[in-house]
Amino acid sequence: AGALAFLEEKRDDIVLKLVRYMQGEVLKRIRGREYGKRRDQRELIKVCQRQFRKFMALRDWGWFVIIQKTRPLIGMPNPEEELRQLEEKANSTYGVYMEQLNTKEKLLAENIAIEEEKKAL
């Protein structure tokens, strides 16, 4: 019984050592993520402060005001160009529609001519 108890004691020590090692690794990963997040926040605070100082220095400069006002307009579609494209699309669609109407009228006229021909025979 003494040898068996000794082996169980050693097994318990090994299991406890492995569990503590795993807990340490998990805690290291959790704390590492938190540390990385805080480090990034400290770096971003520096960037924000630098950008704010630049803004404060430039906000009264006339060209900066013009740039700030016109920046949202860059890349917006030109209303006249957009209207022209829509008009072209509508005209092309209406052209196809008119062509189909003309074809229908022509076919109806041909049907009437064929009916008259049949009556003549």
Side-chain angles (χ1 to χ4, degrees), residues 40-51 53:
D40 291 343
Q41 286 175 349
R42 279 194 303 270
E43 190 64 34
L44 289 175
I45 285 174
K46 292 176 189 175
V47 171
C48 288
Q49 288 173 344
R50 184 173 60 235
Q51 291 296 98
R53 280 193 296 269

Side-chain angles (χ1 to χ4, degrees), residues 74-97:
I74 295 174
M76 287 184 62
N78 185 1
E80 289 111 19
E81 179 67 24
E82 201 170 340
L83 186 63
R84 186 186 60 76
Q85 289 175 350
L86 286 173
E87 194 173 317
E88 287 176 1
K89 185 177 177 185
N91 287 338
S92 66
T93 305
Y94 184 71
V96 170
Y97 172 71

Side-chain angles (χ1 to χ4, degrees), residues 4-25:
L4 190 57
F6 177 75
L7 285 174
E8 284 185 12
E9 186 78 26
K10 286 295 180 185
R11 181 185 59 86
D12 287 343
D13 290 342
I14 291 171
V15 168
L16 192 62
K17 178 183 167 189
L18 290 174
V19 167
R20 285 185 179 159
Y21 175 75
M22 189 167 30
Q23 287 175 337
E25 286 296 314

Side-chain angles (χ1 to χ4, degrees), residues 23-110:
Q23 287 175 337
E25 286 296 314
V26 169
L27 189 65
K28 182 176 90 173
R29 288 186 184 208
I30 291 171
R31 294 285 187 243
R33 273 197 209 112
E34 287 179 11
Y35 174 76
K37 192 164 98 174
R38 297 271 161 97
R39 183 189 63 223
D40 291 343
Q41 286 175 349
R42 279 194 303 270
E43 190 64 34
L44 289 175
I45 285 174
K46 292 176 189 175
V47 171
C48 288
Q49 288 173 344
R50 184 173 60 235
Q51 291 296 98
F52 185 72
R53 280 193 296 269
K54 283 182 183 178
F55 171 76
M56 293 301 287
L58 292 174
R59 71 178 178 173
D60 296 327
W61 182 44
W63 281 104
F64 185 74
V65 173
I66 292 171
I67 290 170
Q68 291 296 92
K69 297 286 185 190
T70 58
R71 184 173 285 162
L73 302 176
I74 295 174
M76 287 184 62
N78 185 1
E80 289 111 19
E81 179 67 24
E82 201 170 340
L83 186 63
R84 186 186 60 76
Q85 289 175 350
L86 286 173
E87 194 173 317
E88 287 176 1
K89 185 177 177 185
N91 287 338
S92 66
T93 305
Y94 184 71
V96 170
Y97 172 71
M98 285 305 293
E99 185 180 319
Q100 288 180 352
L101 282 179
N102 292 337
T103 305
K104 182 179 175 185
E105 288 175 15
K106 186 177 78 169
L107 291 175
L108 285 175
E110 287 178 7

